[in-house]
């Protein structure tokens, strides 16, 4: 399992670095992270997550693993 997580992480490494660079290119004051929230919302929707609240700068999305029990 750990090897699989490492493998998946490495496959996404370049995209994660690109997101980080994009976020740091345009710093935003705390509580006013409009660009950051838009990027996170777009990625959540792209991953198929149900976005319940997308008011900037807050975002609430559902990650349903299909497994019973606490999240």
């Amino acid at each position: 399992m750990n090897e699989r997580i490492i493998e998946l992480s490495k496959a996404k490494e370049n995209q994660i670095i690109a997101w980080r660079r994009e976020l740091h290119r345009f710093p935003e004051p705390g509580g006013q992270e409009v660009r950051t929230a838009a990027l996170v919302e777009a990625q959540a929707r792209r991953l198929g997550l149900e976005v319940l609240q997308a008011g900037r700068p807050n975002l609430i999305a559902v990650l349903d693993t299909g497994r019973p029990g606490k999240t």
Side-chain angles (χ1 to χ4, degrees), residues 35-54:
R35 289 178 61 94
T36 300
L39 185 139
V40 173
E41 178 184 350
Q43 294 307 314
R45 289 185 188 281
R46 187 183 70 76
L47 291 170
L49 300 180
E50 179 186 1
V51 176
L52 302 178
Q53 177 182 332

Side-chain angles (χ1 to χ4, degrees), residues 37 41 53-59:
E41 178 184 350
Q53 177 182 332
R56 308 295 192 270
N58 302 314
L59 179 81

Side-chain angles (χ1 to χ4, degrees), residues 3-68:
E3 293 84 19
R4 181 72 177 138
I5 292 170
I6 291 170
E7 179 184 322
L8 291 170
S9 297
K10 286 186 179 190
K12 297 292 183 182
E13 181 177 20
N14 290 336
Q15 182 60 59
I16 293 167
I17 290 169
W19 289 333
R20 182 181 180 280
R21 288 181 177 157
E22 174 68 18
L23 293 173
H24 285 90
R25 187 175 298 129
F26 303 100
E28 298 171 291
Q32 299 175 37
E33 298 91 346
V34 176
R35 289 178 61 94
T36 300
L39 185 139
V40 173
E41 178 184 350
Q43 294 307 314
R45 289 185 188 281
R46 187 183 70 76
L47 291 170
L49 300 180
E50 179 186 1
V51 176
L52 302 178
Q53 177 182 332
R56 308 295 192 270
N58 302 314
L59 179 81
I60 298 173
V62 177
L63 175 59
D64 185 354
T65 64
R67 291 187 253 163

